[in-house]
Amino acid sequence: MASEEELFANIDALLEEEPQLPPPAERARLREAAGITQARLATALKTTTQTVKNYENGRSEPKTPRLEAYQRLLNGWAAKYPAHGAPAATPAPAPAPRPEPVPETFTGPAVPEAETAPVQAPAAPAAPDRPAARPATSRRPAKKAAKPAVDPRFPHGPIAVLDGDGSAYGVDGIVLDCPATTVPELVEWTLRESGLGAPKLSRHGKDADPLIVLTAAAAVKLGLPEHLEDRRGLRLPEDHPVVKQVLKARWQLTQRGFGPWARIYRKAQGRERQCVQLAILPWDALDSRAWPGVAEMEPADVARVVGVYAQRVITPRGSTAVSGLELMTALRPPTRPVRDEETGNWVSGLNPGSLGTEPMDPAPPEGQPEHPAIHRIDWKGGFLHEEAYQWVRSVDLLTDEECTLPYAVGLDLNTAFLAAAARLTVGLSAPDHFHAPKFNPKIPGSWLVDLSHVELDPRLPSPFTPTGERPTGPAWYQTHTVAYAQELGYNVEPIEAYLRRETGAYLDPWHDRLKTAYVDTLADLGVTKDLTDAEFLAAMEGHKDVDPAMAAVLSAIKATVKGGIGKLFENPQGKGYKDGDPWPAMQRPTWRPDIRAAVISKARVNMHRKMLNMAKLTGLYPLAVLSDCVVYPAPSPSPLDFLPYAESGKPIPGAFRLGPTPGLAKLEGVQSMLWAVDLMEKGLNPARHIKGGDAVLDEGE
């Protein structure tokens, strides 16, 4: 029989345990019985309404001292509002069995990434399960346990947003306790306990490293400054205490240092990567131009935005432009395992359809004078100028009938560059030089051709120049531009060309993934493909107000398209640069100005083809074009009154059509015709300001 001393010791041990709270459903019942709102309770507990919601649905638990205060309140309410019957304890559902990881057939050597990336680990034949978050700290809701994880190594999703209280908010409402108080501790926790990460997007690719987004409070708690003083270099000085902490713990930083997007890593141990990325919100990691309003959101909402983007697009690795470029490589990895016929061993080999692992010098007309290869030969032969439209029709070409129309209506093509990337054949090998070749529209490259003889209606821009002006003599054009001249019925006789023998649809998986992300996110905002044109216009009017978080995801997807294409031709940066010196961007395999030119050429040709068909079908000619936005004179503020429809009510193919998918149009803005003519007389572009309030169109979605 136990002694009195033993019994008292056991009771003392129980008293010293953490306070126990009633089940989540009972917490909500007690609050409602007391007539207190979640917002009012949040104010009393000095927390957020979302946190109170998490307490009441089992997604998270309070910590000291909030835990004791919340328990005291619930005990008081329980005495006042007892339940009519003792609530029966409901056993938690048993977790569904996790699928076994599919073993790889080969583990190849690591493939080096861009110079700023850490050393990569080889692909694992069967990576061991990552240790689950500790039972004492995991706040994953019970109802999620019954849902099998997509990848058992990453049960808590790709990202988490850390607040100043140590709560790490993940996807699907998951909240984890993070005890870290220093950056090295945070890295260790992320890799060992968080269960964060994402599986590779291609069978020959690599898993995505976990991303931790730091709020301002979390950054300060970890010893980081609230504001980054070095606005030019965008990094902490090397003698900053946090940088010293990281290095002392034997972690490494990439060449870009500790900035808004910091990558902290060690060389891989065996087959396990050891890399964590941080995105620091107060340092503008999520630029408001691409991620509108996200920096001001609550941590749970930030996690929802970044988490959905990571699941639908890619775990961010930097700006949306960087992520757009990284997505290309993730979907088309440069290497794959191949068997060495002599030794029988598996080695790393070129992945067909990819851009390979080595940078490629552009053809002289495809680069710019600063490029070392072009600067060295002192090239004087001219350059490609495949850019998006910036054209305004001369007011002298306006008819009286057009001037009497009351409205100017702007139509904008959804992600026009993305639409142009679909089924786009690009060059994969180095360019070869040809003299007087016969034009072949199926071969990607650059052609020196005289298109000045092509006669088109002056009320339309020329399809061959970004300004819309007619060419005055021979110039370099990308294949799609020359093919369009041939499509219009004109003879083309190239003088010379730089062409590529190996070709492929490199951007197809990139297009497919981003198109799906764009369409799915628009659907979340109530804009679906099954809407009639009238319903589509109505849904688009207020779609950004339906769900600000999903509206931010949509904005980030559009910025990813535009920025990813732009990164293919990234210029030298910095005041100290001298012509002929190499710069970081040109030293990566994805520095491909010819691919960017192909996308923009096809997008501009697509726009011209629609305008030409509009003129044939409706007799309407544009007032101005800016990239993917075109402004028409119109009898009413609705495009339904001037777009071409068949008697059946269906839109006629070939012209502008309304809809939510890439390449279809939406209403950009409406102004008066007098307003548009006034801007045109001043030499300004109405398409740039058609939204009103002097809003400038984001050129080239």
Side-chain angles (χ1 to χ4, degrees):
M1 186 174 180
S3 66
E4 178 179 334
E5 184 177 348
E6 289 175 326
L7 291 173
F8 273 68
N10 291 340
I11 294 301
D12 289 341
L14 289 176
L15 290 173
E16 290 174 1
E17 287 189 4
E18 285 191 352
Q20 298 299 308
L21 298 176
E26 177 66 4
R27 304 170 200 174
R29 185 195 73 79
L30 290 172
R31 177 185 54 74
E32 291 169 356
I36 302 298
T37 65
Q38 289 177 327
R40 186 176 174 189
L41 176 55
T43 302
L45 291 175
K46 294 189 180 300
T47 187
T48 65
T49 304
Q50 181 61 50
T51 300
V52 172
K53 290 180 181 178
N54 290 339
Y55 294 167
E56 294 183 356
N57 60 27
R59 288 181 175 174
S60 67
E61 298 290 341
K63 295 180 294 186
T64 301
R66 193 172 288 124
L67 172 62
E68 289 78 8
Y70 190 35
Q71 186 198 38
R72 180 179 180 184
L73 177 65
L74 293 174
N75 288 342
W77 281 342
K80 282 187 177 182
Y81 313 106
H84 293 296
T90 305
R98 293 177 177 175
E100 290 296 323
V102 179
E104 299 271 355
T105 58
F106 163 73
T107 300
V111 179
E113 289 185 354
E115 64 170 0
T116 57
V119 175
Q120 301 292 328
D129 286 348
R130 180 187 298 277
R134 291 176 297 180
T137 60
S138 175
R139 298 193 230 161
R140 195 179 186 199
K143 65 179 182 179
K144 296 291 181 184
K147 184 179 178 181
V150 174
D151 190 310
R153 297 170 300 157
F154 312 118
H156 296 148
I159 67 100
V161 179
L162 184 63
D163 68 10
D165 294 330
S167 296
Y169 296 80
V171 297
D172 298 328
I174 292 171
V175 186
L176 305 171
D177 274 331
C178 175
T181 57
T182 67
V183 169
E185 288 176 0
L186 174 61
V187 173
E188 293 281 358
W189 174 84
T190 303
L191 292 175
R192 311 299 172 217
E193 300 182 38
S194 72
L196 296 173
K200 57 192 177 185
L201 298 180
S202 166
R203 61 179 296 196
H204 301 308
K206 300 176 181 64
D207 296 332
D209 298 317
L211 169 65
I212 303 293
V213 181
L214 301 183
T215 63
V220 171
K221 178 181 177 181
L222 295 172
L224 298 169
E226 191 168 349
H227 301 288
L228 193 58
E229 294 182 4
D230 181 6
R231 302 309 301 170
R232 180 179 294 276
L234 291 176
R235 63 178 64 192
L236 288 178
E238 294 182 1
D239 60 353
H240 190 278
V242 170
V243 176
K244 290 182 176 180
Q245 279 181 355
V246 170
L247 299 179
K248 185 177 180 181
R250 297 187 179 181
W251 291 98
Q252 299 180 53
L253 295 166
T254 60
Q255 290 184 14
R256 61 186 170 188
F258 204 119
W261 291 90
R263 293 183 69 76
I264 303 173
Y265 72 100
R266 286 178 185 151
K267 289 187 178 181
Q269 290 184 347
R271 295 184 175 96
E272 280 293 302
R273 282 175 59 80
Q274 298 187 93
C275 183
V276 173
Q277 179 153 300
L278 306 181
I280 304 170
L281 281 181
W283 297 0
D284 300 325
L286 298 180
D287 190 315
S288 61
R289 292 169 296 181
W291 306 86
V294 176
E296 291 76 39
M297 291 181 180
E298 293 290 333
D301 294 322
V302 176
R304 181 170 173 237
V305 172
V306 181
V308 169
Y309 178 91
Q311 291 171 325
R312 294 182 179 178
V313 182
I314 190 172
T315 302
R317 291 274 302 267
S319 67
T320 48
V322 168
S323 297
L325 199 66
E326 291 286 346
L327 181 61
M328 295 179 195
T329 304
L331 294 168
R332 293 275 200 194
T335 61
R336 67 168 183 170
V338 295
R339 188 181 292 275
D340 187 318
E341 294 182 0
E342 293 184 1
T343 65
N345 296 329
W346 289 98
V347 296
S348 180
L350 180 66
N351 186 21
S354 75
L355 298 183
T357 59
E358 297 298 325
M360 185 182 297
D361 284 343
E366 293 170 351
Q368 66 250 67
E370 305 96 304
H371 192 283
I374 299 171
H375 187 269
R376 187 165 54 246
I377 63 175
D378 194 24
W379 174 258
K380 303 294 185 184
F383 294 92
L384 277 175
H385 191 46
E386 298 286 12
E387 299 293 342
Y389 269 130
Q390 294 195 50
W391 172 82
V392 180
R393 199 204 311 179
S394 169
V395 290
D396 296 335
L397 296 175
L398 293 176
T399 66
D400 292 340
E401 183 182 359
E402 287 176 320
C403 290
T404 58
L405 291 173
Y407 295 100
V409 177
L411 297 175
D412 181 69
L413 295 184
N414 302 318
T415 56
F417 291 166
L418 183 61
R423 298 179 298 279
L424 176 69
T425 301
V426 301
L428 301 177
S429 58
D432 290 323
H433 191 198
F434 297 87
H435 291 280
K438 182 180 179 180
F439 177 68
N440 187 333
K442 295 183 179 180
I443 300 178
S446 302
W447 309 77
L448 182 62
V449 188
D450 189 349
L451 299 178
S452 60
H453 62 288
V454 178
E455 288 279 356
L456 293 174
D457 193 307
R459 290 173 293 179
L460 289 173
S462 167
F464 311 127
T465 63
T467 61
E469 297 176 356
R470 183 173 173 173
T472 57
W476 288 97
Y477 301 100
Q478 201 275 335
T479 297
H480 283 88
T481 304
V482 184
Y484 188 56
Q486 199 174 61
E487 178 185 323
L488 293 173
Y490 292 89
N491 185 42
V492 294
E493 297 181 354
I495 301 167
E496 59 180 307
Y498 285 90
L499 309 177
R500 287 170 166 80
R501 299 180 188 273
E502 295 180 25
T503 65
Y506 172 71
L507 292 175
D508 259 10
W510 186 80
H511 162 270
D512 294 346
R513 185 167 177 84
L514 284 169
K515 176 183 177 180
T516 300
Y518 180 81
V519 171
D520 288 350
T521 307
L522 260 183
D524 289 339
L525 295 168
V527 186
T528 56
K529 292 188 284 188
D530 59 346
L531 299 177
T532 66
D533 284 1
E535 291 170 339
F536 168 73
L537 291 173
M540 286 298 294
E541 269 191 50
H543 75 284
K544 293 182 180 179
D545 300 324
V546 171
D547 186 339
M550 287 300 100
V553 175
L554 186 70
S555 172
I557 292 171
K558 293 192 290 186
T560 301
V561 173
K562 177 188 173 185
I565 296 299
K567 278 280 185 181
L568 292 169
F569 193 16
E570 190 173 0
N571 291 316
Q573 299 176 10
K575 293 182 178 180
Y577 177 77
K578 295 180 180 179
D579 289 357
D581 289 344
W583 62 95
M586 61 155 280
Q587 295 173 310
R588 62 178 184 236
T590 49
W591 190 84
R592 289 294 301 273
D594 57 302
I595 296 180
R596 175 184 179 273
V599 172
I600 296 178
S601 168
K602 186 179 175 184
R604 197 182 65 244
V605 164
N606 286 348
M607 176 67 89
H608 191 276
R609 188 182 290 113
K610 292 178 187 296
M611 292 187 289
L612 183 60
N613 288 333
M614 275 287 289
K616 292 176 180 177
L617 294 168
T618 68
L620 289 177
Y621 290 85
L623 301 175
V625 187
L626 181 68
S627 189
D628 43 21
C629 178
V630 58
V631 177
Y632 276 100
S636 83
S638 173
L640 298 175
D641 293 331
F642 67 86
L643 289 177
Y645 290 88
E647 291 184 5
S648 63
K650 293 184 178 180
I652 299 177
F656 292 101
R657 295 176 55 189
L658 298 174
T661 55
L664 298 186
K666 60 180 180 289
L667 180 64
E668 182 68 18
V670 180
Q671 300 291 340
S672 72
M673 185 64 179
L674 289 175
W675 170 90
V677 173
D678 181 56
L679 286 184
M680 294 167 70
E681 289 177 338
K682 295 176 180 177
L684 301 176
N685 192 327
R688 186 178 294 275
H689 307 280
I690 193 69
K691 284 184 179 179
D694 267 341
V696 177
L697 183 71
D698 183 14
E699 299 175 26
E701 288 183 0

